[in-house]
């Protein structure tokens, strides 16, 4: 547990920017991680920044010499890109950013770690994705980030399903262009014959009882994954569990992503 003495002029500051901000849990998680890593000189604080105030807030961060970086949450994941000096390939692919860092010369660089966080969460549980056939529901920011990360890590095939055909087609074209060795197929809401089935849509969040896809045709060895954080066991995961399928919930992706975000902000 950090002491009050650790809050000194030697402090490196990190933040989370969003609107609203009252219910975010990243500061608690990140500060716990900093304590575990014995980084007593690093602290994360929430910053309530509206859409109208985003440009001014981000520009101000350039001038804090002890500012290390920030997690970016809704509704700023798209808008912040235009205020950055540079960004990773993942940001360019998905058109969204969920973490930034300040370089020693005062520039701001953006990253998107949802895809890497998803894969790292699987790796921590001993799941390898190399050569796997993946079904993915969702072609938004999260789905796109996960799809590109999966393709970069060597899956053999990605079956895409998205209720908006336009987004699905754009993601398929992007994947085929950047990862020509990966087979990309358009799917339906009833996947079959895949090793990993993933929900990267908001279906099942909070009190929503919907499922992004049916588990009825999945084989017994399929791992069913959800990116929704609350509730822990979504309707999709409950349905998968009821028919004896292994499950992977959104918290496991988030925990891995928190570690990656800390490294992105601090280790450069």
């Amino acid at each position: 547990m950090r002491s009050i003495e650790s809050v000194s002029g030697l402090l490196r500051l990190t933040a989370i920017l969003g609107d609203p901000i009252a219910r975010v849990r990243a500061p608690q998680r990140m500060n716990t991680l900093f304590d575990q890593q014995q980084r007593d000189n690093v602290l994360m604080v929430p910053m309530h920044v509206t859409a109208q105030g985003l440009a001014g807030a981000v520009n101000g961060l350039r001038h804090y010499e002890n500012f290390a970086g920030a997690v970016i949450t809704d509704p700023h994941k798209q808008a912040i890109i235009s205020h950055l000096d540079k960004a990773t390939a993942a940001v360019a692919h998905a058109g969204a950013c969920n973490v930034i860092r300040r370089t020693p010369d005062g520039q701001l660089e953006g990253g998107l770690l949802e895809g890497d966080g998803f894969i790292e969460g699987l790796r921590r549980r001993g799941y390898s994705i190399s050569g796997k056939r993946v079904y993915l529901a969702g072609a938004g920011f999260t789905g796109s980030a996960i799809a590109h990360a999966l393709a970069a890590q060597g899956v053999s095939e990605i079956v895409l399903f998205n209720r908006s055909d336009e987004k699905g087609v754009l993601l398929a074209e992007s994947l085929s262009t950047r990862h020509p060795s990966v087979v990309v197929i358009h799917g339906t809401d009833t996947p079959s014959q895949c090793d990993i089935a993933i929900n990267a849509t908001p279906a099942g969040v909070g009190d929503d009882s919907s499922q992004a896809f049916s588990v009825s045709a999945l084989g017994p060895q399929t791992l069913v994954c959800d990116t929704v954080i609350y509730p822990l066991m979504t309707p999709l995961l409950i349905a998968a569990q009821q028919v004896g399928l292994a499950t992977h919930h959104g918290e496991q992706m988030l925990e891995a992503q928190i570690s990656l975000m800390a490294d992105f902000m601090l280790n450069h």
Side-chain angles (χ1 to χ4, degrees):
M1 183 69 65
R2 73 179 63 240
S3 65
I4 192 68
E5 288 79 10
S6 66
V7 183
S8 70
L10 299 176
L11 190 70
R12 295 190 71 191
L13 183 65
T14 66
I16 177 168
L17 275 60
D19 179 25
I21 204 74
R23 295 186 179 181
V24 295
R25 291 181 289 170
Q28 298 94 316
R29 291 173 178 271
M30 198 69 78
N31 287 324
T32 297
L33 177 63
F34 293 152
D35 286 343
Q36 293 169 348
Q37 296 176 340
Q38 297 184 328
R39 285 171 160 162
D40 293 340
N41 68 325
V42 183
L43 180 70
M44 173 167 277
V45 297
M47 292 184 177
H48 187 175
V49 178
T50 65
Q52 293 76 18
L54 182 63
V58 173
N59 186 56
L61 294 175
R62 299 175 188 278
H63 305 290
Y64 289 97
E65 296 293 332
N66 64 331
F67 171 72
V71 173
I72 308 301
T73 189
D74 293 334
H76 305 315
K77 291 182 180 181
Q78 278 183 293
I80 196 166
I81 296 175
S82 64
H83 304 296
L84 302 177
D85 301 295
K86 50 188 174 179
T88 63
V91 173
H93 294 161
C97 168
N98 70 350
V99 63
I100 63 173
R101 62 186 173 196
R102 183 186 184 277
T103 61
D105 60 356
Q107 291 195 323
L108 296 180
E109 179 179 9
L112 180 65
L113 296 175
E114 289 180 326
D116 292 337
F118 178 79
I119 291 173
E120 175 64 12
L122 290 181
R123 188 197 65 78
R124 290 182 180 186
R125 295 188 62 197
Y127 286 99
S128 171
I129 64 167
S130 179
K132 294 294 194 297
R133 186 173 191 263
V134 178
Y135 173 90
L136 175 65
F141 303 142
T142 300
S144 182
I146 290 175
H148 280 284
L150 289 169
Q153 293 297 316
V155 299
S156 62
E157 187 172 295
I158 299 177
V159 180
L160 290 175
F161 170 70
N162 193 71
R163 297 190 185 280
S164 165
D165 288 339
E166 182 180 358
K167 278 189 175 182
V169 168
L170 289 174
L171 177 55
E173 290 176 347
S174 178
L175 288 169
S176 297
T177 299
R178 293 177 171 87
H179 308 281
S181 63
V182 179
V183 177
V184 182
I185 300 172
H186 291 282
T188 70
D189 61 355
T190 306
S192 62
Q193 299 180 3
C194 61
D195 301 299
I196 305 172
I198 307 164
N199 172 37
T201 79
V205 68
D207 296 326
D208 180 14
S209 61
S210 65
Q211 290 180 215
F213 56 84
S214 169
V215 301
S216 61
L218 294 176
Q221 301 304 314
T222 305
L223 174 67
V224 179
C225 309
D226 210 322
T227 60
V228 170
I229 297 170
Y230 176 80
L232 189 68
M233 292 301 292
T234 61
L236 173 66
L237 297 184
I238 292 171
Q241 197 173 66
Q242 287 173 343
V243 295
L245 299 178
T247 60
H248 183 80
H249 54 73
E251 281 280 351
Q252 289 159 319
M253 179 184 81
L254 179 61
E255 289 171 5
Q257 193 176 180
I258 287 291
S259 298
L260 294 176
M261 285 176 162
D263 289 341
F264 184 89
M265 293 186 292
L266 299 173
N267 296 334
H268 62 92

